[in-house]
Amino acid sequence: MPETNETTTPETPQPETAKSEPVKTETARPETVKPVLLTIDDDADVLRAVERDLRRQYGAGYRVMRADSGPTALDALKQLKVRNDPVALLLADQRMPRMTGVEFLEAAREIYPQAKRVLLTAYADTEAAIQAINAVKVDYYLMKPWDPPQENLYPILDDLLDEWKGAYRPPFAGIRILGHRWSPDSHRIKEFLARNRVPYEWLDIETMPTDGETRRLVEAIDPASASLPLVLLEDGTRMDKPTNADLAEKVGLRTRAELPFYDLVIVGGGPAGLAAAVYGASEGLHTVMIEREAPGGQAGMSSRIENYLGFPTGLSGNELARRAVMQAERFGVEILAPQEAKSVRIEDSYRIVTLANDSEISCHALLISTGVAYRKTDIPSVERLAGAGVYYGAAMTEAISCKDEQVFVVGGANSAGQAAMYFSRYASSVTMLVRGNSLAASMSQYLIDQISQTPNITVRTCSRVLEAHGENNLEALTIVSETPEGAEGSEAGAGRPETVPASALFIFIGATPHTDWLDGVVARDDNGFIYSGPDLTQDEKRSRAWPLDRDPFLLETSVPGIFVAGDVRHGSVKRVASGVGEGSIAVQFIHQYLSKLSAS
């Protein structure tokens, strides 16, 4: 799951022993984390001697840590568990106050069950050591003194460490998210990281009974003191229910512009915005792109695009976005994401954009390519379960969770069809609910053919959701089919509500432009889509809003120097290829505008 860079590594809390000797830990996480060898003894001289011998023999390949009591060592192990650091060996003295060596090794086994456990004993404790081998599964016991280590220590530990390395499987090295499936905040964080191509590992707290590693992590964290979902960063930092903005800062996403002025500012990072960024920067325009969520826009959420020119086997929206971002950055485009444009004002030849953090960027040419968002339903029971079984868009991060479950998809356009095909690989059944009487009016024929050939996809036309059921998550849907008898999709009967079990509902209805921030600035239609070019001159009221003697350029809005491209444009074709085309064409008109501006 590809589903990560400026970070400040905080000081790792260091628990203290009864003698106020801190456990030796490392705050910065190296690229390759060495497995830990942890030795515990309340005798300071013995502790230093063991540490010295371990470092001398194993320091090149392992981190050697020490603690002077069992409780302190357990605290250190919990920190290491949260950091996802491997522990290879535990070497504990038997006779210690507060907690014996056997008691420590037994407790440590719950945190790191694969670590090799060695008991350090005096001659008088050999019987206890032998019993511990059977009772606590101690791997070995060593007699004090162990000198010389070349004969009495290293050969034994070499065998144990070789055995540990043979069974060791490196943990996931990246961000981990601990939460539960039906949490809207968990869904939000997973979607945010996945769409920004930040690798992460999802740990579902509900799987604890069957997933021992998740259970051990939860016990180490003490979730009663945390607000789930919990994000654990590579450096050991934990973030309780972070906002997207806070998370973006931690993982190194850029949200602040480097300069106050650019030749071209692009608001919106879908196919149109990315194409404009590539063409603008490659042709010498100093360009910055502002994207509210993640580069790729709505197209970036598509599981498979199979009719895009040049990719005969298709590609995912995420892969298309990744390639476009790499291309734009290669030409020097600054990409601010997640970041949002809050308003724009005109001052002479400058167009000044105010961002959500109240900073400002000015430019001579501004391109609006904010695309559209899926429309929310007006059904209260559906909205109540948003993020807890009800999702807007493809939400591919939830696909694996839908394995062997009943999934419903609302919508009849390409995005809905692509999602249905994707979820059919995991779910036991996928039901498409389409308001129209067929898919042909809004879906490409290749998708219609694929859907008809997929046995676990059912299409119910002229159907809609009446109600969603479930206390904390979606459990069932009430659906009504208004198809006349004998027509396609009439198997449920005409007008008879039916309640069916459902684990997930994915909604792809309508297209709402995000243009409220442009209210009073550029001319828009009743639905918020932006007028441009000939649309401004063919209507008398709109033509009066155009201030210049020349006609507006093809993709120029009612404000000279502000252009529009992609789905947010009035009359646009809602396809990826057309968005890319408009974005690239817009740059040509922007060049013409800038040349006229410099000549005046």
Side-chain angles (χ1 to χ4, degrees):
M1 176 174 16
E3 318 3 11
T4 185
N5 340 62
E6 170 195 334
T7 62
T8 301
T9 305
E11 185 82 13
T12 301
Q14 298 185 345
E16 296 188 352
T17 66
K19 298 179 181 179
S20 298
E21 179 180 339
V23 173
K24 292 187 176 179
T25 60
E26 299 177 21
T27 57
R29 185 182 181 92
E31 289 187 9
T32 302
V33 178
K34 295 179 180 179
V36 170
L37 310 181
L38 177 60
T39 179
I40 308 98
D41 200 307
D42 67 314
D43 186 314
D45 292 335
V46 174
L47 185 60
R48 282 192 291 269
V50 176
E51 181 188 26
R52 177 203 62 212
D53 288 343
L54 292 178
R55 287 188 185 277
R56 181 179 297 161
Q57 180 73 3
Y58 304 108
Y62 296 86
R63 280 189 297 163
V64 178
M65 296 172 54
R66 70 171 188 249
D68 60 8
S69 75
T72 299
L74 288 177
D75 287 342
L77 288 179
K78 291 177 181 178
Q79 291 183 35
L80 292 168
K81 175 62 69 176
V82 172
R83 288 171 58 96
N84 217 19
D85 288 355
V87 174
L89 176 73
L90 303 169
L91 179 58
D93 182 53
Q94 168 62 7
R95 289 196 177 187
M96 294 186 293
R98 301 167 61 192
M99 179 181 284
T100 67
V102 170
E103 291 170 340
F104 163 76
L105 292 174
E106 185 174 16
R109 186 183 178 197
E110 295 299 314
I111 305 173
Y112 279 97
Q114 303 304 321
K116 294 301 178 181
R117 295 174 294 281
V118 178
L119 194 65
L120 194 60
T121 69
Y123 180 79
D125 297 323
T126 54
E127 185 176 345
I130 294 171
Q131 292 175 353
I133 290 177
N134 297 322
V136 189
K137 304 300 181 184
V138 169
D139 294 289
Y140 210 89
Y141 73 90
L142 290 170
M143 297 283 292
K144 292 180 181 180
W146 61 89
D147 287 332
Q150 290 80 3
E151 296 180 12
N152 299 325
L153 180 66
Y154 299 152
I156 295 164
L157 298 189
D158 286 345
D159 287 343
L160 292 174
L161 291 175
D162 284 344
E163 185 179 345
W164 177 85
K165 284 189 291 186
Y168 173 63
R169 297 295 178 267
F172 174 78
I175 295 172
R176 290 169 295 160
I177 307 169
L178 181 66
H180 60 86
R181 176 184 176 185
W182 305 117
S183 161
D185 281 313
S186 292
H187 170 68
R188 169 182 59 81
I189 291 170
K190 289 191 295 179
E191 279 288 288
F192 172 74
L193 292 176
R195 294 192 61 198
N196 282 283
R197 290 167 292 282
V198 180
Y200 69 86
E201 182 180 35
W202 165 243
L203 301 171
D204 191 341
I205 198 169
E206 294 182 348
T207 66
M208 281 199 302
T210 57
D211 185 347
E213 190 60 26
T214 300
R215 175 181 55 79
R216 285 187 284 272
L217 177 61
V218 168
E219 290 172 351
I221 288 173
D222 182 18
S225 64
S227 298
L228 295 180
L230 190 65
V231 177
L232 304 172
L233 304 181
E234 287 184 83
D235 63 3
T237 302
R238 53 183 268 182
M239 304 178 72
D240 295 26
K241 200 184 296 184
T243 64
N244 288 357
D246 289 341
L247 195 52
E249 183 177 353
K250 279 292 185 182
V251 301
L253 298 178
R254 178 182 292 179
T255 59
R256 294 184 180 275
E258 292 183 358
L259 300 172
F261 175 83
Y262 295 82
D263 298 320
L264 172 61
V265 171
I266 301 169
V267 181
L274 285 166
V278 168
Y279 276 86
S282 67
E283 295 173 10
L285 297 179
H286 198 181
T287 304
V288 63
M289 188 178 77
I290 303 162
E291 165 54 39
R292 185 169 56 160
E293 295 177 355
Q298 199 176 96
M301 301 172 66
S302 297
S303 57
R304 202 73 185 164
I305 303 171
E306 297 193 54
N307 59 353
Y308 190 67
L309 186 66
F311 294 89
T313 60
L315 77 169
S316 69
N318 188 282
E319 176 64 12
L320 178 62
R322 185 190 68 82
R323 291 169 179 255
V325 167
M326 287 179 59
Q327 196 172 15
E329 291 179 336
R330 186 167 69 86
F331 287 119
V333 177
E334 277 185 48
I335 298 177
L336 308 185
Q339 184 55 271
E340 186 173 3
K342 193 166 64 173
S343 64
V344 61
R345 70 180 189 275
I346 314 302
E347 292 185 5
D348 299 323
S349 63
Y350 296 96
R351 283 80 186 100
I352 302 171
V353 179
T354 302
L355 304 181
N357 60 5
D358 292 327
S359 63
E360 292 185 339
I361 304 174
S362 66
C363 60
H364 285 320
L366 173 64
L367 176 68
I368 309 299
S369 55
T370 48
V372 295
Y374 294 115
R375 194 173 66 240
K376 300 295 179 71
T377 72
D378 55 1
I379 305 172
S381 59
V382 172
E383 282 303 294
R384 181 178 60 83
L385 295 173
V390 175
Y391 309 100
Y392 288 92
M396 290 185 288
T397 55
E398 304 301 326
I400 296 178
S401 298
C402 296
K403 185 174 175 60
D404 300 328
E405 296 181 345
Q406 296 97 340
V407 168
F408 287 77
V409 175
V410 175
N414 276 11
S415 53
Q418 291 160 352
M421 289 297 301
Y422 183 74
F423 291 124
S424 70
R425 292 152 51 181
Y426 301 92
S428 61
S429 68
V430 177
T431 302
M432 296 188 67
L433 304 176
V434 184
R435 290 294 292 263
N437 56 16
S438 76
L439 293 173
S442 55
M443 187 178 293
S444 298
Q445 187 61 43
Y446 83 90
L447 263 178
I448 297 175
D449 294 341
Q450 288 180 356
I451 289 169
S452 66
Q453 295 165 12
T454 305
N456 63 336
I457 298 181
T458 300
V459 179
R460 292 179 56 162
T461 56
C462 298
S463 299
R464 58 191 175 90
V465 175
L466 289 181
E467 190 174 0
H469 306 276
E471 188 62 32
N472 298 313
N473 58 273
L474 180 66
E475 297 175 1
L477 293 170
T478 297
I479 300 166
V480 64
S481 174
E482 299 168 341
T483 309
E485 292 294 333
E488 180 186 0
S490 63
E491 59 274 347
R496 292 201 305 268
E498 175 189 8
T499 299
V500 294
S503 300
L505 174 66
F506 298 91
I507 299 173
F508 302 81
I509 56 173
T512 303
H514 175 61
T515 58
D516 290 347
W517 64 286
L518 294 168
D519 188 30
V521 179
V522 299
R524 301 177 296 156
D525 66 18
D526 292 340
N527 294 315
F529 292 93
I530 300 173
Y531 289 117
S532 62
D535 293 326
L536 296 171
T537 57
Q538 292 172 1
D539 179 274
E540 182 178 351
K541 179 180 178 182
R542 293 196 294 272
S543 65
R544 289 198 298 267
W546 177 250
L548 302 182
D549 293 336
R550 67 168 176 85
D551 287 340
F553 294 117
L554 180 63
L555 298 175
E556 196 169 20
T557 71
S558 59
V559 177
I562 298 183
F563 296 78
V564 62
D567 291 357
V568 73
R569 183 181 65 82
H570 172 81
S572 66
V573 178
K574 306 299 188 286
R575 289 289 187 267
V576 174
S578 63
V580 170
E582 289 188 17
S584 57
I585 292 171
V587 172
Q588 305 308 310
F589 297 119
I590 288 169
H591 276 298
Q592 294 182 44
Y593 170 79
L594 292 175
S595 65
K596 291 179 179 293
L597 189 66
S598 60
S600 61

